[in-house]
């Protein structure tokens, strides 16, 4: 599966999550492993996402399955608080500081002045060669959801940290070219 097809998979997942949120007011987390000619959808109990230990267990299971099946890429789709990076601040900062803040989570990134957070859907595409982050921000209005800006960050164009807890290619470096 080429880079363009992988990016299209990420955009399709975002469309599906957006429709699910608009219809049901909630989103089921999506974990998809991409192979040469097919994909594998992994599902986990929603209760696992209620604690840090549960999230860590999901991350381990997802990462282990990706390595077992030698997945060429992975998609993670979530409804949570999105980090909206301040690209200039990240570019100007010491990369180790950015990496440490990213490892500590969204609040640490915000405290460090690297961006802000907003409610939103996020889809992370991870491959050994590049990472893509697609975010659809929203606010809840009077019994409705108002969608805001759709943002895409691509590590081939913008320096980007790995996907944190759910990163499956954590021991590899993202290449830009």
């Amino acid at each position: 599966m080429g880079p363009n097809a992988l990016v299209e998979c990420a955009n399709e997942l975002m469309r599906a999550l957006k429709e699910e949120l608009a219809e049901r007011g909630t989103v089921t987390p999506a974990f998809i492993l991409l192979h040469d000619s097919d994909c594998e959808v992994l599902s986990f109990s929603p209760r696992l996402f209620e604690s840090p230990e549960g999230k860590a267990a999901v991350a381990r299971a997802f990462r282990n399955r990706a390595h077992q099946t030698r997945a060429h890429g992975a998609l993670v789709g979530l409804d949570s608080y999105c980090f909206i990076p301040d690209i200039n601040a990240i570019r100007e900062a010491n990369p180790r500081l950015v990496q440490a803040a990213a490892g500590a989570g969204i609040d640490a990134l915000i405290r460090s002045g690297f961006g802000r957070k907003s409610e939103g859907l996020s889809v992370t595409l991870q491959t050994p060669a590049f990472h893509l982050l697609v975010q659809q921000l929203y606010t809840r209005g009077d019994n409705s959801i108002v969608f805001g800006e759709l943002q895409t960050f691509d590590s081939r164009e913008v320096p980007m940290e790995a996907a944190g807890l759910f990163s499956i290619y954590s021991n590899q470096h993202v290449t830009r070219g």
Side-chain angles (χ1 to χ4, degrees):
M1 196 178 286
N4 290 340
L6 291 169
V7 172
E8 186 54 36
C9 286
N11 288 323
E12 278 298 317
L13 178 56
M14 177 55 76
R15 281 191 278 277
L17 293 177
K18 185 178 172 183
E19 288 174 9
E20 183 180 1
L21 182 64
E23 288 174 15
R24 296 181 20 202
T26 185
V27 169
T28 304
F31 293 87
I32 302 171
L33 297 177
L34 303 168
H35 305 289
D36 276 333
S37 59
D38 64 357
C39 67
E40 178 180 2
V41 178
L42 302 179
S43 60
F44 301 94
S45 167
R47 287 186 294 194
L48 288 172
F49 296 94
E50 295 171 3
S51 71
E53 295 82 11
K55 287 180 185 175
V58 168
R60 278 192 308 276
F62 183 55
R63 196 175 299 117
N64 289 343
R65 183 67 183 161
H67 290 300
Q68 285 172 358
T69 62
R70 292 186 167 84
H72 294 281
L75 288 168
V76 178
L78 300 170
D79 175 19
S80 63
Y81 282 101
C82 288
F83 173 67
I84 299 100
D86 178 338
I87 301 301
N88 290 331
I90 290 173
R91 278 193 182 120
E92 294 167 4
N94 181 320
R96 288 187 178 191
L97 176 62
V98 177
Q99 187 172 16
I106 289 177
D107 291 334
L109 286 164
I110 292 163
R111 282 193 305 273
S112 300
F114 296 135
R116 59 187 176 86
K117 74 178 178 180
S118 177
E119 223 176 352
L121 299 169
S122 65
V123 171
T124 306
L125 165 66
Q126 302 170 42
T127 77
F130 70 98
H131 293 153
L132 184 83
L133 176 64
V134 185
Q135 295 179 327
Q136 178 74 66
L137 306 179
Y138 69 85
T139 55
R140 293 183 186 271
D142 300 331
N143 299 317
S144 65
I145 293 173
V146 180
F147 289 99
E149 187 180 355
L150 179 71
Q151 302 173 321
T152 302
F153 303 98
D154 187 333
S155 69
R156 292 169 296 183
E157 300 165 3
V158 176
M160 219 172 69
E161 292 303 316
L165 183 66
F166 297 111
S167 177
I168 67 169
Y169 298 104
S170 56
N171 293 330
Q172 298 178 357
H173 296 286
V174 176
T175 57
R176 296 172 184 88

